[in-house]
Amino acid sequence: QVQLVESGGGSVQPGSSLRLSCAASGRIYSSSVMAWFRQTPGKEREFVALIRWNSGITLYSDSVKGRFTISKDGPNHTAYLHLNALKTEDTAIYYCARGSQYSTSQSSYYTWGQGTQVTVAS
């Protein structure tokens, strides 16, 4: 079974940038959808962005549109989330996930990484 491992989180100041990586232990099939979600304590896991693996079509939540970019490296089975113009409200644990539906619902994804912490503070 393919496993996902996130990396790249850290503590930064507002306005900074980070790049999160999600490396798959095996092949990501072309029919897959890769997504990023985030969660803060006491809140539901929130959709951030997704990318269709075969076409590269992307979708973003309104809260990150224009600031975050999701991308993929097919040959290396890795998805990325580029976080720009970070705000304090972006502080969360970021998870990547693999599914087969073009969906913003976490229930549509069946493989999850362990998460990587992003903290944005002055």
Side-chain angles (χ1 to χ4, degrees):
Q1 183 172 341
V2 173
Q3 295 182 324
L4 304 176
V5 178
E6 301 98 333
S7 61
S11 296
V12 297
Q13 294 187 333
S16 299
S17 299
L18 281 173
R19 188 185 75 165
L20 307 183
S21 299
C22 173
S25 61
R27 178 185 171 190
I28 299 175
Y29 290 100
S30 59
S31 58
S32 296
V33 175
M34 298 295 291
W36 288 91
F37 288 77
R38 64 187 182 185
Q39 189 170 26
T40 53
K43 292 190 176 181
E44 294 266 326
R45 199 168 289 188
E46 172 193 20
F47 168 77
V48 175
L50 65 79
I51 186 166
R52 279 193 184 275
W53 207 248
N54 54 3
S55 65
I57 293 174
T58 59
L59 180 68
Y60 298 91
S61 69
D62 288 343
S63 61
V64 308
K65 196 177 297 181
R67 299 188 299 122
F68 293 7
T69 303
I70 188 170
S71 64
K72 65 183 180 80
D73 180 348
N76 288 310
H77 316 301
T78 301
Y80 299 99
L81 186 67
H82 306 260
L83 292 69
N84 298 312
L86 281 161
K87 305 176 181 180
T88 56
E89 52 262 44
D90 294 319
T91 295
I93 299 175
Y94 284 71
Y95 299 89
C96 71
R98 182 174 73 112
S100 57
Q101 295 183 45
Y102 188 82
S103 171
T104 62
S105 171
Q106 59 175 315
S107 63
S108 297
Y109 296 85
Y110 43 77
T111 305
W112 291 82
Q114 81 290 349
T116 185
Q117 176 71 48
V118 171
T119 302
V120 186
S122 301

